[in-house]
Each structure stands twice: as structure tokens, then as C-alpha cells.
């Protein structure tokens, strides 16, 4: 008799819960624990790692997007100059702080000019600007091997199309380009060890602007 009464009470309780479809927060009484706190991306980190390791998603692209979203990737220059002013140095210091978080990632710095001056001179000027930015990043403790290439687009990719002087076109842009060859991908649980190891190296480079021809 005791078991009959207990079973009847349990059945009645479940029936009441089912009929009322009780709500706890925004989740049904019968959904898994913690689901009311999920905004839709629960477990996304695990999914992302699986996609990366299976090649379904490019980790380099993810980092490039994050870098561009979290820091200013661009520094600007005065006309016919490779000198890093206070704003440029401040931006590059923030870039260096971000870059130090990912010691296995490589970066390129692209140099640009405005349209004043010959194309050949501006290509050289853009390269010297990129070298100035690379030298400053290296002086902040970034290994030069990770700044594996310095590329100049000269005047070929203006942000503002004009034949005159335009500061916004006189710039360098830092971008994520890949992984250090010896460590193409680090997702094996040892990344904290990499972050805290002693990888900092310093370097400096004197960059000057040649006299004679002028460009933007």
C-alpha cells in the first residue's frame, strides 16, 4: 500500500509539472541545468578549437580579425618623413602589448605613401616607413624573427584618392600573417607555458630619410 501511494504522489507531481510546463528564468523546468544562463554561445570555445584543428577554420584569420578589432593597426607620418611622432609611438606600443600575448604569431608591416612624388621614390619611402615601425616594435621587446617581412605598397593603395598631400595615405599597417615556422599551431594545453617563458628580445634601428627627391 505504501508503494502504491508513493507512486501515485510521484505521478501526480510529474503530471502537474508537465501540465504547467514550469519555467525557471527563461528555461523550461525540464531543460538541462545552466541553460537559462546560455546566451547562445555556450561551448563555443571548444567548437572553435575543433574547427581549427580539423582545418575547418583558419586560426590566422581569427587572430587577424581580433588584432584589427582590439588595437589601432595604422600609424601616420608627416610629408616625406619616416619619423614616428608621439601618436605613432603610442599606437605602436599598444600593438606591441598585444603582440606579446601571442609569441608564436608573425606579423607584417605594410608601408604606404600619398600620391605626391614618383612611384619609385614612394615605394622606397613606404618601405622605410615600414622599417621604422618594425624597428620600434623590436625596441619594445618583439623578436625581429616574428616581423618576418617588411612590404611597401608605396602610393598604389591610397585610402583617400587625391593627387595632393594626404596624411591618411601616409601610413603603415600592421597585420597578422601566420605562425612562426617551428610552432605552426599551439592548441595542446601548453600555451600558458609559452606565454610566461622568457622570449623577449630587444633591437633598435636608426631610420633616416634620404635627401634629394621628395615624395609623400
Amino acid at each position: 500500500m505504501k508503494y502504491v501511494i508513493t507512486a501515485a504522489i510521484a505521478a501526480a507531481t510529474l503530471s502537474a509539472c508537465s501540465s504547467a510546463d514550469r519555467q525557471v528564468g527563461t528555461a523550461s523546468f525540464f531543460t538541462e541545468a545552466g541553460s537559462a544562463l546560455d546566451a547562445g554561445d555556450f561551448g563555443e570555445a571548444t567548437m572553435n578549437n575543433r574547427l581549427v584543428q580539423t582545418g575547418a577554420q583558419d586560426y590566422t584569420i581569427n587572430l587577424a580579425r581580433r588584432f584589427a578589432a582590439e588595437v589601432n593597426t595604422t600609424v601616420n607620418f608627416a610629408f616625406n618623413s619616416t619619423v614616428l611622432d608621439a601618436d605613432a609611438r603610442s599606437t605602436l606600443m599598444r600593438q606591441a602589448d598585444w603582440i606579446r600575448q601571442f609569441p608564436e604569431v608573425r606579423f607584417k608591416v605594410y608601408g604606404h605613401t600619398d600620391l605626391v612624388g614618383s612611384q619609385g621614390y614612394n615605394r622606397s619611402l613606404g618601405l622605410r616607413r615600414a622599417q621604422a615601425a618594425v624597428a620600434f616594435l623590436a625596441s619594445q621587446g618583439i623578436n625581429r624573427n616574428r616581423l618576418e617581412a617588411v612590404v611597401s605598397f608605396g602610393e598604389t593603395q591610397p585610402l583617400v584618392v587625391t593627387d595632393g598631400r594626404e596624411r591618411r595615405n601616409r601610413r603603415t599597417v600592421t597585420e597578422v600573417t601566420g605562425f612562426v615556422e617551428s610552432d605552426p599551431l599551439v592548441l595542446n594545453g601548453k600555451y600558458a607555458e609559452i606565454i610566461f617563458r622568457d622570449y623577449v628580445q630587444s633591437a633598435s634601428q636608426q631610420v633616416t630619410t634620404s635627401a634629394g627627391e621628395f615624395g609623400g
Side-chain angles (χ1 to χ4, degrees), residues 11-57:
T13 301
L14 289 174
S15 177
C17 289
S18 178
S19 60
D21 192 23
R22 296 177 185 271
Q23 298 289 314
V24 179
T26 58
S28 167
F29 179 80
F30 296 101
T31 57
E32 64 272 16
S35 64
L37 303 178
D38 182 22
D41 54 2
F42 187 75
E44 194 166 298
T46 300
M47 179 186 71
N48 183 71
N49 283 351
R50 181 180 61 80
L51 291 174
V52 168
Q53 295 201 46
T54 58
Q57 188 165 320

Side-chain angles (χ1 to χ4, degrees), residues 40 77 142 181 208:
F77 295 82
I142 307 302
E181 185 175 353
T208 58

Side-chain angles (χ1 to χ4, degrees), residues 4-205:
V4 172
I5 294 174
T6 302
I9 293 173
T13 301
L14 289 174
S15 177
C17 289
S18 178
S19 60
D21 192 23
R22 296 177 185 271
Q23 298 289 314
V24 179
T26 58
S28 167
F29 179 80
F30 296 101
T31 57
E32 64 272 16
S35 64
L37 303 178
D38 182 22
D41 54 2
F42 187 75
E44 194 166 298
T46 300
M47 179 186 71
N48 183 71
N49 283 351
R50 181 180 61 80
L51 291 174
V52 168
Q53 295 201 46
T54 58
Q57 188 165 320
D58 192 332
Y59 194 49
T60 302
I61 293 175
N62 284 348
L63 276 181
R65 289 173 178 166
R66 178 178 169 185
F67 181 61
E70 295 182 1
V71 300
N72 183 1
T73 61
T74 302
V75 300
N76 296 103
F77 295 82
F79 180 74
N80 195 44
S81 174
T82 62
V83 175
L84 299 167
D85 61 19
D87 288 340
R89 292 194 298 273
S90 177
T91 296
L92 288 169
M93 283 190 284
R94 288 193 292 271
Q95 289 184 17
D97 288 342
W98 196 98
I99 291 171
R100 278 193 292 269
Q101 298 178 74
F102 301 93
E104 310 309 308
V105 179
R106 294 185 304 196
F107 295 78
K108 284 185 181 178
V109 180
Y110 298 88
H112 301 262
T113 71
D114 61 27
L115 271 66
V116 179
S118 70
Q119 189 174 57
Y121 181 80
N122 281 338
R123 185 175 293 109
S124 174
L125 178 59
L127 178 60
R128 295 199 304 275
R129 284 173 175 164
Q131 288 171 335
V134 166
F136 188 88
L137 290 171
S139 75
Q140 300 301 301
I142 307 302
N143 191 321
R144 288 295 290 266
N145 292 332
R146 301 176 53 212
L147 304 168
E148 50 95 21
V150 184
V151 180
S152 172
F153 285 115
E155 62 187 44
T156 61
Q157 295 186 7
L159 288 178
V160 180
V161 180
T162 175
D163 292 332
R165 299 184 181 187
E166 175 53 60
R167 180 175 174 82
R168 285 172 291 180
N169 290 337
R170 302 192 298 265
R171 69 198 192 278
T172 62
V173 181
T174 307
E175 294 184 4
V176 174
T177 56
F179 289 86
V180 177
E181 185 175 353
S182 61
D183 294 280
L185 194 59
V186 184
L187 289 173
N188 59 0
K190 295 185 178 181
Y191 201 72
E193 180 181 339
I194 294 172
I195 292 297
F196 288 101
R197 76 186 184 195
D198 182 14
Y199 66 89
V200 176
Q201 297 180 8
S202 62
S204 63
Q205 178 175 339

